[in-house]
Amino acid sequence: MAEPIIRVENLGKKYQIKHKEGRQGYKSLRDVIADSAKTVFNLFKPKSGTKSTSTEEFWALKDVSFDVQHGDVVGIIGRNGAGKSTLLKILSRITEPTTGRVTLNGRVASLLEVGTGFHPELTGRENIFLNGSILGMSRSEIARKFDEIVAFAEVEKFLDTPVKRYSSGMYVRLAFAVAAHLEPEILVVDEVLAVGDAAFQKKCLGKMGEVAKGGRTVLFVSHNMQTVTRLCTHGLLLDAGQVVTAGPVLKLVQAYLSTGVLNPAARDWPESRLPGDQVSRLRAVRVIDDRGALIHIADIRKTIGIEMEYDIHQPDRRLVPNFHIYNSEGVCVFIVNDWSNCECRIKPGRYKSTMWIPGNFLSEGTLIVGVAMSTLDPVIIHFHEIDVISFEVADSLDGNSARGPYVGAFPGVVRPMLEWTTCNLTA
């Protein structure tokens, strides 16, 4: 097997956190003035000792080991505080590890924070050459790519302006353009792309797709799971500074979502706390595939089922189950009711109703499910639970993109795959 481009062995990073003993909370202005006066008088007193402090060890990373092969696009995922950014800073040689070692067999370009590697007093033009030199590029290499970098960053008008006057969006556009165009063997990107506007984010993702297809190695940190599944082939799941698992990115995203970092994809209520009233009570809600198996992440091309299990306690009621689907931005994707049974008078008992969503209908992203049960004539809501469960819709779960060669995101709440016909009118 070929030697990996990145090898991490027993990596650890420890920080010392100091705590002052007897530390007080909020002080008023009067307390501050009084303490200042005491300090002046204490200058004339003999010193009897100093305030004691306690030190706590905090391991941001501990015993982390993994290999990355040439051309891999690795998504690093995990909760806030899992150690993702610390790992990237060590790989980018910004900070040194406490234990272990990292072997890099190629030049590394990093985009970790807005303005990293830029000098605020220098112009955009000067910072392109400075940043390129930091990345290990020769002046001729930078000059050859200069026009492409400027065009991609869209900062032509401000090229000779000191970057301290740039907005955060302009900073990140120029920083990404330099890092992506100077052809390092390893590109390391934290979630700094969130600073840019939507159009530039799409542009960056497209460029990262090109970089990956060109055989270079990419390490990408993001909380956006559809972006991770779209761009990455492999993944690394971190928790509390340690590697939980590594492998194909789709399995890792599934494992990450199953931990309940969002709402889980299934929810069951205990008997003593069933939502509802004397007419109907909700027992469970789940997301399933076309075989009835529970899923946390769904292939955009496959049928998805959302089912609710509930009890009916009173006879002769015309009850209508409802599902309310929202995206992560709070936009209503659709609300659907089981009108087919609205004229039926349901007998008491336990029931399960399933709504089926066809493949090639939903768009990528996180979808959040609410459920309700209502009665017609008159309209009465017997239970209505919002944000009950959530699930992720991914572009592909088998490595073959449903969008073809296009790597950007599609706008819109839904993304139907509709039938087309084309005819030659000149024939």
Side-chain angles (χ1 to χ4, degrees), residues 150-165:
V150 174
F152 189 91
E154 302 170 4
V155 294
E156 294 94 332
K157 291 182 180 179
F158 310 100
L159 197 55
D160 295 306
T161 301
V163 297
K164 67 181 181 181
R165 298 193 175 96

Side-chain angles (χ1 to χ4, degrees), residues 7-122:
R7 169 159 285 169
V8 175
E9 301 172 274
N10 303 315
L11 193 67
K13 181 63 179 178
K14 180 177 68 175
Y15 294 98
Q16 301 286 344
I17 304 174
K18 293 185 177 181
H19 304 284
K20 286 186 178 180
E21 293 184 359
R23 184 179 179 182
Q24 297 178 349
Y26 170 78
K27 290 184 177 182
S28 66
L29 177 61
R30 181 179 63 186
D31 296 329
V32 173
I33 295 171
D35 289 346
S36 299
K38 290 177 183 177
T39 301
V40 173
F41 287 110
N42 287 337
L43 291 174
F44 301 97
K45 291 183 178 181
K47 294 183 179 180
S48 59
T50 58
K51 287 185 178 180
S52 61
T53 60
S54 61
T55 302
E56 175 188 354
E57 289 186 353
F58 170 71
W59 286 89
L61 294 172
K62 195 167 186 178
D63 297 328
V64 173
S65 299
F66 62 90
D67 290 344
V68 177
Q69 301 298 326
H70 288 263
D72 282 353
V73 184
V74 180
I76 302 175
I77 60 177
R79 299 171 184 264
N80 288 331
K84 304 185 297 297
S85 295
T86 302
L87 175 60
L88 294 194
K89 286 179 181 178
I90 292 175
L91 295 177
S92 303
R93 291 171 290 190
I94 293 173
T95 186
E96 293 184 355
T98 306
T99 61
R101 60 180 293 180
V102 175
T103 305
L104 301 170
N105 295 311
R107 293 183 296 187
V108 179
S110 305
L111 188 58
L112 305 183
E113 296 175 3
V114 175
T116 299
F118 279 14
H119 193 294
E121 299 295 336
L122 299 182

Side-chain angles (χ1 to χ4, degrees), residues 328-350:
S328 58
E329 298 174 353
V331 176
C332 181
V333 179
F334 60 82
I335 294 176
V336 64
N337 307 282
D338 185 10
W339 296 113
S340 62
N341 292 320
C342 66
E343 295 301 322
C344 299
R345 296 186 180 273
I346 303 176
K347 297 179 180 180
R350 184 164 300 172

Side-chain angles (χ1 to χ4, degrees), residues 381-396:
I381 306 298
H382 299 290
F383 59 76
H384 181 197
E385 297 293 307
I386 62 174
D387 298 350
V388 174
I389 59 172
S390 67
F391 63 100
E392 195 82 11
V393 178
D395 177 71
S396 170

Side-chain angles (χ1 to χ4, degrees), residues 117-299:
F118 279 14
H119 193 294
E121 299 295 336
L122 299 182
T123 66
R125 184 189 304 275
E126 292 165 335
N127 269 298
I128 290 174
F129 283 92
L130 172 64
N131 202 239
S133 299
I134 292 172
L135 296 177
M137 306 296 171
S138 67
R139 186 176 180 83
S140 60
E141 284 181 281
I142 301 169
R144 191 171 64 250
K145 292 284 186 177
F146 184 85
D147 290 342
E148 290 181 47
I149 293 168
V150 174
F152 189 91
E154 302 170 4
V155 294
E156 294 94 332
K157 291 182 180 179
F158 310 100
L159 197 55
D160 295 306
T161 301
V163 297
K164 67 181 181 181
R165 298 193 175 96
Y166 283 19
S167 67
S168 59
M170 292 167 67
Y171 247 115
V172 77
R173 289 206 302 270
L174 188 57
F176 183 88
V178 174
H181 282 82
L182 293 183
E183 299 183 353
E185 285 80 16
I186 304 168
L187 179 61
V188 177
V189 183
D190 206 341
E191 203 158 22
V192 68
L193 295 184
V195 176
D197 56 40
F200 188 75
Q201 287 181 37
K202 185 186 296 185
K203 194 174 180 179
C204 288
L205 292 173
K207 184 63 179 177
M208 286 177 64
E210 292 178 22
V211 169
K213 289 180 180 177
R216 284 179 280 167
T217 303
V218 180
L219 299 182
F220 180 57
V221 166
S222 180
H223 290 285
N224 188 320
M225 292 301 104
Q226 64 262 35
T227 302
V228 171
T229 56
R230 186 189 314 148
L231 288 177
C232 303
T233 53
H234 297 77
L236 197 67
L237 177 58
L238 296 180
D239 186 42
Q242 296 183 303
V243 176
V244 177
T245 184
V249 71
L250 296 169
K251 290 184 179 179
L252 262 69
V253 171
Q254 181 92 328
Y256 177 57
L257 295 175
S258 67
T259 63
V261 63
L262 303 170
N263 290 341
R267 184 172 177 183
D268 295 82
W269 282 264
E271 197 72 34
S272 59
R273 289 190 291 149
L274 298 177
D277 57 16
Q278 68 277 11
V279 175
S280 179
R281 291 193 179 275
L282 179 64
R283 303 192 69 89
V285 183
R286 307 178 189 93
V287 181
I288 58 174
D289 62 16
D290 56 1
R291 296 171 297 176
L294 178 69
I295 55 174
H296 301 274
I297 181 169
D299 191 314

